[in-house]
């Protein structure tokens, strides 16, 4: 049932975090369209003394903002783009009109991750009012290309910074990392993601005369069994075991009396730091080459695994969460990929700390109002611990 906004409870917003968040939620920034969100953030940052640089690539809008020239550099990272709302009729409210109800704020991007952006900006405003002469520098790296191809966003900004010798030491990505309650989980790394696109070549034939044909399905079946049966690793202290999954197999000509000449398949590895993409590709090649099969394998690497060792940044974040919620976050490397995969290889310690992720990419995406305010306080506390 579709609920009209005027009947959906009072549209109360009485804090700077929620005011800013509502401004952002009203912008239809479906990936890779920024829809003016970064200009709102840049205006606020400029009044705080940040030097704001637009770094557009293709149809992607990116913002690199920095205050100060000293090292170390503490960077907040995030994205203004959101996934499409899907069938808007399934939403109880307009996905691009923020609606408050029972302490919850509804809207596309409310959890992933416009609430984190609002929390970051207001945390910075409070922190800089108290500590204008803090240690080091503060930066923000904001893209509109996290939910899409992720080619012209964070990756390109990092390449630009590297080319001119600018370095990020510590990075807090505002991705929704929490599971059940705010701050119960923090990401300190991510598994790698490697996809294979396979073509097996055979010879088409009459099903009654297999001796004159070469069925690619029969060729691939034992290889697939071996790929599935392989224990890739047992994981390690920080990573779950590497997982191999087939996502697609196509073959057959559509007739019951013809064996096909070609098979295509797609599969994906989510892998631990026990592998890199080269060693994993080699292992797969060895398995194929041990069978009698005419194949071609193309690869796409989404990102190598990364891990931030426990140290100053993870300690500060854990302490800040502990002080504001009463419990320490679990340090995890689960979940999908994030832009942390582009920031970490440049030498930064990267953590991801943001709202509860239960409703992200779903209809009726929402965030608890109290969590937005609390997240802003946690970000502010991390700034205090790291930069004063
Ligand atoms: Zn996100």
């Amino acid at each position: 049932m579709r609920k009209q906004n005027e009947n959906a409870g009072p549209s109360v917003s009485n804090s700077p975090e929620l005011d800013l968040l509502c401004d952002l939620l009203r912008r239809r920034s479906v990936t890779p369209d920024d829809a003016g969100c970064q200009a709102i953030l840049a205006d606020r940052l400029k009044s705080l003394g940040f030097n704001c640089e637009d770094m557009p690539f293709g149809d992607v809008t990116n913002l690199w903002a920095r205050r100060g020239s000293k090292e170390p550099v503490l960077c907040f990272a995030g994205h203004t783009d959101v996934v499409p709302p899907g069938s808007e009729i399934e939403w109880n409210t307009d996905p691009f009109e923020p609606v408050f109800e029972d302490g919850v704020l509804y809207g596309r991007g409310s959890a992933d991750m416009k609430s984190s952006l609002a929390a970051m900006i207001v945390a910075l405003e409070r922190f800089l009012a108290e500590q204008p002469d803090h240690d080091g520098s503060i930066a923000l790296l904001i893209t509109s290309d996290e939910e899409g191809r992720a080619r012209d966003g964070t990756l390109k900004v990092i390449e630009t910074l590297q080319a001119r010798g600018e370095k990020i030491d510590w990075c807090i990505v505002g991705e929704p990392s929490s599971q059940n309650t705010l701050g119960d989980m923090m990401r300190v790394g991510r598994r790698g993601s490697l996809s294979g696109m396979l073509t097996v070549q055979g010879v088409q034939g009459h099903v009654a005369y297999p001796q004159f044909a070469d069925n690619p399905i029969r060729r691939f079946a034992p290889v697939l069994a071996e790929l599935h049966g392989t224990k890739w690793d047992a994981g390690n202290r920080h990573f779950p075991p590497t997982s191999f999954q087939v996502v697609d197999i196509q073959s057959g000509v559509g007739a019951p009396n013809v064996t096909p000449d070609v098979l295509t398949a797609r599969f994906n590895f989510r892998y631990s730091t026990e592998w890199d993409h080269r060693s994993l590709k080699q292992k797969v090649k060895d398995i194929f080459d041990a069978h009698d099969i005419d194949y071609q394998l193309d690869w796409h690497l989404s990102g190598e695994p990364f891990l931030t060792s426990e140290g100053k940044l993870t300690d500060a974040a854990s302490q800040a969460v502990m002080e504001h919620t009463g419990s320490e976050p679990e340090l995890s490397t689960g979940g999908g990929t994030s832009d942390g995969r582009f920031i970490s290889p440049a030498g930064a310690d990267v953590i991801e700390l943001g709202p509860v992720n239960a409703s992200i990419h779903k209809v009726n995406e929402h965030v608890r109002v109290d969590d937005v305010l609390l997240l802003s306080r946690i970000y502010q506390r991390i700034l205090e611990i790291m930069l004063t």
Side-chain angles (χ1 to χ4, degrees), residues 78-79 81 111-113 146-147 173-176 337-338 360-361:
H79 59 90
D81 58 326
D112 187 8
M113 55 164 278
E146 201 275 340
E147 302 288 9
V173 185
E175 288 293 345
T337 59
S338 81
I360 64 171
H361 296 208

Side-chain angles (χ1 to χ4, degrees), residues 231-237 239-242 272 274-275:
K231 188 176 181 210
W232 300 92
D233 58 54
N236 54 35
R237 192 160 94 81
F239 285 87
T242 292
S272 75
E274 300 295 303
W275 301 88

